[in-house]
């Protein structure tokens, strides 16, 4: 359990690093993926992992996984940049609800009343967080409101992550998690390579790239996978709800972000709806 808690704490600091780095989102993603790919690539010195390199016909999964992972990561980082950490992380955590809704379609899993209830609760929580009418919401979108754009990006990351989880659930049956992580990061880096600007002050931003590449993209996943060996999937999923709480606390402590009642109530409903889907036994 300590491994999972350590991984969650590392991931919860992601928003803080993104905000303090001052680096464009695509540059952050590109170099963190390069660093992580290089580290994970060391495992191919082991014969055990070389045997697990996917065959050419299996690369279709990774061709889909890479761009989808980029959409998820980019939209999540965009949310961190353009709205509060609380709004970004709580809208991203709509992912379990989208998984519950999409699983019956792609995995032929049962759609229950509890899942439908969780979707309704999450929707209510989102509108409480927004604190505006549907008409006002679309008006802000048309005006290019920064905060509203960040919230929409957070929701998009939740949808992308939900689809990603479904694909990875299928892939996990045939591929080692480290192999998935290596090719996922490598494909993202290849996609972003044409946009990788050299006009970045690497001396001042090296710390952020190193932290994201080594801590968030490499050490945290390794600890999480290690923790999953001794902790049940359900318990790990429930423990995962500590991540948004920790992220919000770090935002309050280090970025002086204020928490209003709408965020607390709406975010609480979103987290509760996710908990309902995780404990769905009907």
């Amino acid at each position: 359990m300590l491994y999972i808690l350590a991984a969650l704490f590392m991931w919860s600091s992601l928003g803080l690093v993104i905000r303090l780095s001052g680096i464009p989102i695509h540059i952050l993603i590109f170099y963190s993926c390069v660093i992580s790919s290089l580290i994970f690539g060391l495992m191919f010195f082991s014969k055990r992992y070389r045997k697990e390199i996917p065959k050419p016909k299996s690369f279709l999964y990774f061709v889909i996984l890479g761009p989808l992972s980029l959409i998820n990561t980019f939209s999540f980082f965009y949310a961190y940049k353009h709205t509060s950490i609380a709004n970004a992380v709580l809208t991203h955590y709509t992912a379990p609800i989208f998984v519950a809704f999409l699983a019956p379609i792609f995995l032929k899993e049962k759609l229950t009343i509890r899942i439908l209830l969780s979707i309704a609760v999450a929707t209510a929580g989102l509108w409480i967080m927004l604190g505006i009418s549907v008409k006002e919401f679309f008006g802000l979108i048309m005006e290019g409101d920064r905060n509203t754009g960040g919230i929409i990006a957070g929701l998009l990351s939740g949808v992308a992550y939900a689809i990603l989880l479904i694909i990875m659930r299928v892939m996990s049956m045939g591929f080692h998690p480290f192999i998935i992580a290596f090719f996922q990061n490598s494909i993202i880096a290849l996609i972003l390579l044409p946009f990788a600007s050299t006009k970045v002050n690497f001396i001042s931003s090296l710390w952020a790239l190193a932290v994201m590449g080594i801590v968030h993209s490499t050490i945290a996943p390794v600890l999480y996978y290690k923790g999953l060996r001794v902790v049940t999937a359900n318990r790990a999923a429930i423990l995962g709800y500590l991540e948004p709480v920790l992220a919000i606390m770090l935002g309050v402590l280090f970025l002086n972000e204020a928490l209003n009642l709408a965020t607390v109530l709406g975010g609480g409903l979103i987290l509760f709806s996710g908990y309902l889907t995780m404990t769905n036994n009907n």
Side-chain angles (χ1 to χ4, degrees):
M1 187 180 291
L2 289 176
Y3 288 123
I4 289 180
L5 289 175
L8 293 175
F9 181 78
M10 291 177 188
W11 280 326
S12 69
S13 65
L14 185 59
L16 199 61
V17 175
I18 292 170
R19 286 284 193 84
L20 295 176
S21 69
I23 305 173
I25 297 169
H26 65 288
I27 299 296
L28 273 175
I29 297 173
F30 173 74
Y31 284 103
S32 62
C33 284
V34 167
I35 293 170
S36 181
S37 295
L38 290 173
I39 296 172
F40 275 121
L42 295 175
M43 67 185 171
F44 291 119
F45 284 105
S46 168
K47 187 176 180 181
R48 171 194 170 190
Y49 290 110
R50 287 201 300 272
K51 287 181 178 179
E52 299 204 34
I53 295 177
K55 296 176 181 177
K57 65 179 181 180
S58 300
F59 268 100
L60 177 61
Y61 288 107
F62 294 98
V63 170
I64 297 171
L65 186 69
L68 186 60
S69 299
L70 178 56
I71 292 171
N72 166 57
T73 307
F74 188 90
S75 56
F76 192 30
F77 284 19
Y78 185 93
Y80 270 134
K81 280 270 192 179
H82 291 81
T83 188
S84 68
I85 285 180
N87 286 346
V89 76
L90 289 171
T91 48
H92 177 73
Y93 260 77
T94 55
I97 294 91
F98 288 119
V99 169
F101 187 73
L102 294 171
I105 300 172
F106 295 101
L107 301 176
K108 308 301 180 184
E109 294 181 1
K110 188 178 179 183
L111 183 64
T112 66
I113 293 175
R114 177 174 288 196
I115 289 173
L116 293 173
L117 176 62
S118 70
I119 293 170
V121 171
T123 303
L126 178 63
W127 285 113
I128 290 174
M129 281 179 61
L130 290 170
I132 54 177
S133 67
V134 177
K135 183 179 179 181
E136 290 172 324
F137 178 66
F138 284 106
L140 288 172
I141 294 174
M142 297 301 293
E143 292 172 8
D145 180 67
R146 178 185 175 92
N147 184 64
T148 305
I151 290 174
I152 292 174
L155 280 174
L156 176 60
S157 73
V159 175
Y161 189 54
I163 300 172
L164 199 60
L165 286 174
I166 291 173
I167 293 174
M168 290 187 71
R169 188 180 296 178
V170 175
M171 292 181 68
S172 64
M173 303 296 178
F175 303 101
H176 191 283
F178 293 174
I179 297 294
I180 294 174
F182 170 78
F183 283 102
Q184 178 179 324
N185 288 330
S186 298
I187 291 172
I188 290 175
L190 283 173
I191 294 172
L192 290 177
L193 182 60
F195 309 99
S197 172
T198 56
K199 298 177 181 179
V200 177
N201 188 340
F202 287 99
I203 296 177
S204 62
S205 59
L206 185 61
W207 71 271
L209 300 175
V211 168
M212 289 188 64
I214 298 171
V215 177
H216 296 112
S217 300
T218 306
I219 296 177
V222 169
L223 290 176
Y224 191 79
Y225 292 138
K226 193 176 181 67
L228 284 178
R229 293 178 181 178
V230 293
V231 175
T232 63
N234 282 336
R235 181 169 291 184
I238 293 171
L239 284 173
Y241 281 91
L242 288 173
E243 184 185 342
V245 175
L246 291 170
I248 292 169
M249 287 174 60
L250 290 174
V252 172
L253 289 173
F254 293 100
L255 299 177
N256 296 318
E257 290 193 347
L259 275 180
N260 56 44
L261 185 60
T263 299
V264 173
L265 291 177
L269 285 175
I270 289 173
L271 295 181
F272 178 66
S273 66
Y275 175 79
L276 284 177
T277 64
M278 293 297 180
T279 57
N280 178 44
N281 296 312
N282 296 328

